[in-house]
Each structure stands twice: as C-alpha cells, then as structure tokens.
C-alpha cells in the first residue's frame, strides 16, 4: 500500500484471560496495511460497559476482529453502534448465550475465584485451550503467563460480563458488513458448530477452519490467522 494512503483502523478484541499478546503476531503482520490496536477488556463487568469503553476510544469507523469473549463484546458494539463497524472477523466465538450447564460451570469457577482460589490457566487446563501438540511448547507457556498477567480481579469482572451477556442470535440477520468466521477444528471451549451458526446467520459470511488447532488460532496458527485477516481486510 503506498505511503500516501492512510491505513484503515482495525480493533482486535481479546478473549477471557487474554491480553494484547493474543494478537501480537497479527498486529505485526498487518502493520503494512492497517493501523491495528488491541483494546483492554479487563476493566468492566458487563458487555455493555466493555463495548462502551471500546467505542469511546475507537476511531469513528473501524474494522472489528474478536476472539471468544471478545466476540461477545463485538456483538454488543454492533448493537450500540452498528454503522461504525466496516468489517467483522469472529474467531472461536458464539452468538448464543451460555446453555445452563456451561453457565453453571462458569458460576462455580467464579465462586472459587471470589473465595481466593484463582489459578489462572494451569497446565491441566491447557488442553482445553490449545491443541494437544502445543501444550508443552512456548505457546502453552505464553498462554499461562498471559492469564497470570490478567489476573483474578479482571477474571471476576470478565466472567460476570460473560454470564450476563444477551443472546446475539437475533442480531445476525441484520449484519451486512464483510464478515469472516474462523474456528479451530479441535476447539474444546467453543464448538465449531457455533461458528457454522454464525456463518449461516450472517449474509455472505465466510467460514475458515484451522486444522489441528484449539481455541486460540492467533497464537496457535499465527501466520494462517494473519493471512486470513489480510484477505478479509483487502477483499
């Protein structure tokens, strides 16, 4: 892209217990074609407040990418200010509210953390987040370190926001911006079926499945994720 042309702004929203490290490789890999920022999603305990904070600091118009919990915030941004979003990328996320069993697991984990029993992402939990081939690798170590940086207090706020989020399925037919949906074929946190629901519900959305990948494609498959987002931004 010639230096004389402005690079379009892109916001990439992280997931639960994730910080800007989640999108590090994409921020670097897209720098020549986009002005990429990663908002902080640790300071509020509702998706409404999280979305409002992002919007208050965002450019007037922007492309929006999100992973997991970041997707829940993205849907709220689309409720609050749909005309400000030019493009949409949804990775490893769902439009549906938690089913009762998943909500019960979340409440149990919230109660434990409130009592002071917060372990972040342990090695035992890693297989739920990344593909088995990456558990004992630097990627696994970085996922655990990222969760430790985010910490207990932010985890409590984030889980409360997730539990109280609205069902976003009714929003999908109204979305008209260019959209890509992505998911790992071995995602154990958000089933690939949730991404198929997104792809079918958003007119013109394209689905990309990352092979041998868990819940965190930006870290597990960094180059493939960057290429997917590059194609999304330049289409």
């Amino acid at each position: 892209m010639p230096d004389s042309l402005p690079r379009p702004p892109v916001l990439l929203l992280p997931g639960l217990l994730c910080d800007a490290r989640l999108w590090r490789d994409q921020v670097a890999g897209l720098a020549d074609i986009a002005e990429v920022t990663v908002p902080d999603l640790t300071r509020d305990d509702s998706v409404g407040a999280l979305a409002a904070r992002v919007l208050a600091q965002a450019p007037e118009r922007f492309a929006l990418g999100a992973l997991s919990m970041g997707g829940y915030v993205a849907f709220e941004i689309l409720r609050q200010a749909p005309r400000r979003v030019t493009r949409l990328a949804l990775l490893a996320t769902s439009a549906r509210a938690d089913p009762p069993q998943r909500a019960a697991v979340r409440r149990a984990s919230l109660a434990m953390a409130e009592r002071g029993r917060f372990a972040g992402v342990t090695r035992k939990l890693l297989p739920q987040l990344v593909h088995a081939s990456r558990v004992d690798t630097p990627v696994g170590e970085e996922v655990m370190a990222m969760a430790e940086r985010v910490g207990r207090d932010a985890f409590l706020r984030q889980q409360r926001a997730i539990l109280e989020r609205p069902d976003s399925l009714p929003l999908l037919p109204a979305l008209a911006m260019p959209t890509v949906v992505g998911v790992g074929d071995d995602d154990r946190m958000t089933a690939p079926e949730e991404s198929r629901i997104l792809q079918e519900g958003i007119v013109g959305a394209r689905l990309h499945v990352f092979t041998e990948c868990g819940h965190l494609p930006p870290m597990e498959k960094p180059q493939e994720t960057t290429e997917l987002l590059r194609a999304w931004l330049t289409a």
Side-chain angles (χ1 to χ4, degrees):
M1 177 177 290
D3 292 340
S4 59
L5 294 179
R7 292 174 297 160
V10 179
L11 305 186
L12 297 178
L13 305 182
L16 175 70
L17 286 176
C18 295
D19 59 18
R21 168 59 188 93
L22 175 73
W23 297 107
R24 181 193 69 190
D25 295 289
Q26 290 70 50
V27 172
L30 298 170
D32 62 320
I33 62 165
E35 190 73 42
V36 187
T37 58
V38 181
D40 178 1
L41 298 186
T42 66
R43 299 168 64 186
D44 302 284
D45 63 1
S46 73
V47 290
L50 286 162
R53 187 184 295 274
V54 171
L55 286 165
Q57 299 171 357
E60 182 56 33
R61 301 262 289 163
F62 52 88
L64 182 62
L67 179 136
S68 195
M69 183 196 78
Y72 312 151
V73 178
F75 287 127
E76 182 61 26
I77 287 171
L78 289 161
R79 268 187 287 271
Q80 292 185 19
R83 292 180 180 151
R84 291 179 64 181
V85 179
T86 60
R87 294 173 183 269
L88 183 64
L90 298 168
L91 303 186
T93 195
S94 169
R96 297 196 282 190
D98 280 346
Q101 185 176 3
R102 182 72 177 271
V105 170
R106 253 189 234 289
R107 289 193 185 95
S109 129
L110 188 60
M112 286 180 61
E114 286 171 338
R115 293 195 298 269
R117 297 177 61 190
F118 172 73
V121 173
T122 62
R123 191 165 294 278
K124 184 177 179 182
L125 181 61
L126 268 181
Q128 297 298 312
L129 290 170
V130 300
H131 188 267
S133 64
R134 294 182 191 90
V135 169
D136 296 312
T137 69
V139 168
E141 296 293 335
E142 289 190 73
V143 170
M144 291 189 291
M146 183 167 60
E148 187 173 351
R149 286 193 301 274
V150 174
R152 170 184 173 271
D153 290 347
F155 173 77
L156 291 172
R157 289 190 287 271
Q158 290 178 334
Q159 285 284 40
R160 291 178 188 126
I162 292 169
L163 276 165
E164 298 302 319
R165 76 189 189 276
D167 188 330
S168 294
L169 278 176
L171 184 68
L172 301 185
L175 302 181
M177 66 285 293
T179 300
V180 65
V181 179
V183 67
D185 63 353
D186 191 41
D187 191 331
R188 301 182 186 185
M189 299 298 290
T190 304
E193 175 59 27
E194 298 298 325
S195 289
R196 294 188 185 95
I197 290 170
L198 294 176
Q199 187 260 329
E200 292 169 1
I202 301 171
V203 175
R206 184 164 70 89
L207 176 64
H208 179 87
V209 178
F210 297 88
T211 59
E212 296 186 358
C213 183
H215 189 57
L216 303 174
M219 294 178 71
E220 297 185 68
K221 297 272 188 161
Q223 186 59 37
E224 188 175 343
T225 302
T226 299
E227 290 171 359
L228 179 70
L229 295 182
R230 179 176 285 270
W232 163 69
L233 287 170
T234 58

